């Protein structure tokens, strides 16, 4: 029965290994993939997945949101992904495979897949003004901060005090053994910055360097 236009209900279908978790069932269409009556993944409580109207966040398959973890703002958990403890998954983030957001990790506009983990007080953040987002894959673990166009893969570990921020159009790749850059081809194109009739003045910094 639909109540207060909620988008899902928590069913009596318990998780086989963790009986305190129960499957959800859609009470109405959610986004473009979920139809009313579809079963979703597992939650511990209603606080784990947003009930907000217009929010297409969802938990698919055997994915889990447990503890005080929260999934909202068009984000989703797929396959066997897990968000637990106080993790917050928001702003169109996607966790798939056996990815895990745990402890107090904050995932905003990012992709975690395969066996990737965001742990501790990890911050995995998109660059809102540039449309760039981090991707975690392989068996990597992030405890620190990863922001912008950064791919963390393989066995890479980002430690607690490390802050990896990329605000350029290029993509920074960390695989646990090396760091490399995938250069954006658009950076090699030269375009005029002003009208030809305008005289370009030397910057103060350049003037200071001149002798």
């Amino acid at each position: 029965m639909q109540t207060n236009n909620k988008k899902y209900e928590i069913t009596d279908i318990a998780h086989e290994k963790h009986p305190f978790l129960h499957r959800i069932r859609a009470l109405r269409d959610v986004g473009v993939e979920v139809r009313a009556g579809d079963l979703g993944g597992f939650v511990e409580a209603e606080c784990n997945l947003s009930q907000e109207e217009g929010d297409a966040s969802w938990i698919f398959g055997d994915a889990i949101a447990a503890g005080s973890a929260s999934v909202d703002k068009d984000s989703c958990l797929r396959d066997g992904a897990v968000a637990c403890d106080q993790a917050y998954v928001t702003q169109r983030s996607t966790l798939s495979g056996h990815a895990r957001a745990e402890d107090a990790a904050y995932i905003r506009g990012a992709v975690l897949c395969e066996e990737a983990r965001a742990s501790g007080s990890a911050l995995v953040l998109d660059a809102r003004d540039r449309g760039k987002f981090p991707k975690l894959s392989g068996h990597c673990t992030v405890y620190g901060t990863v922001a912008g166009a950064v791919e963390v893969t393989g066995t890479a570990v980002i430690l607690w005090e490390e802050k990896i921020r990329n605000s350029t159009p290029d993509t920074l790749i960390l695989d646990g053994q090396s760091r490399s850059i995938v250069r954006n081809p658009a950076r090699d194109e030269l375009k005029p910055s002003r009208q030809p009739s305008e005289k370009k003045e030397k910057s103060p910094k350049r003037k200071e360097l001149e002798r």
Side-chain angles (χ1 to χ4, degrees):
M1 180 177 178
Q2 191 166 340
T3 305
N4 297 326
N5 203 32
K6 288 184 176 181
K7 70 180 182 183
Y8 70 90
E9 64 180 352
I10 300 176
T11 71
D12 293 330
I13 305 172
H15 191 281
E16 183 176 348
K17 184 178 179 180
H18 307 291
F20 59 92
L21 303 172
H22 291 82
R23 280 199 186 276
I24 58 173
R25 178 186 289 112
L27 295 174
R28 54 180 168 81
D29 293 354
V30 181
V32 297
E33 294 185 67
V34 181
R35 295 291 173 261
D38 286 355
L39 289 174
F42 295 89
V43 299
E44 184 172 351
E46 199 168 288
C47 64
N48 296 139
L49 177 65
S50 170
Q51 288 274 21
E52 291 295 319
E53 186 172 1
D55 185 346
S57 57
W58 191 250
I59 301 173
F60 294 87
D62 291 325
I64 292 170
S68 298
S70 181
V71 180
D72 69 7
K73 296 182 180 177
D74 300 338
S75 298
C76 65
L77 308 182
R78 298 179 180 273
D79 307 320
V82 174
C84 60
D85 305 318
Q86 293 83 44
Y88 184 25
V89 182
T90 188
Q91 297 288 351
R92 298 180 182 273
S93 294
T94 298
L95 274 64
S96 63
H98 292 282
R100 190 179 186 98
E102 58 191 3
D103 303 324
Y106 176 48
I107 315 298
R108 186 190 74 200
V111 171
L112 280 67
C113 59
E114 299 175 358
E115 304 285 341
R117 292 198 176 199
S119 306
S121 298
L123 298 175
V124 186
L125 313 171
D126 62 338
R128 289 180 171 178
D129 59 335
R130 295 178 179 272
K132 302 291 185 179
F133 60 90
K135 179 178 179 181
L136 277 54
S137 62
H139 288 79
C140 74
T141 303
V142 172
Y143 294 98
T145 299
V146 174
V150 181
E151 292 188 12
V152 185
T153 186
T155 57
V157 177
I158 307 301
L159 296 175
W160 293 265
E161 299 300 320
E162 287 189 285
K163 296 181 180 180
I164 310 297
R165 299 180 183 271
N166 179 19
S167 59
T168 75
D170 303 326
T171 301
L172 172 61
I173 300 177
L174 301 86
D175 65 6
Q177 299 182 355
S178 63
R179 296 184 175 186
S180 59
I181 290 288
V182 175
R183 185 173 174 82
N184 188 325
R187 286 166 66 78
D188 295 324
E189 299 178 8
L190 297 179
K191 298 179 180 179
S193 59
R194 61 193 69 229
Q195 297 297 324
S197 60
E198 295 182 18
K199 185 178 179 180
K200 188 174 182 180
E201 296 182 359
K202 295 178 180 178
S203 67
K205 185 175 181 180
R206 291 289 298 174
K207 288 181 179 179
E208 291 173 5
L209 293 175
E210 293 177 354
R211 296 288 186 232

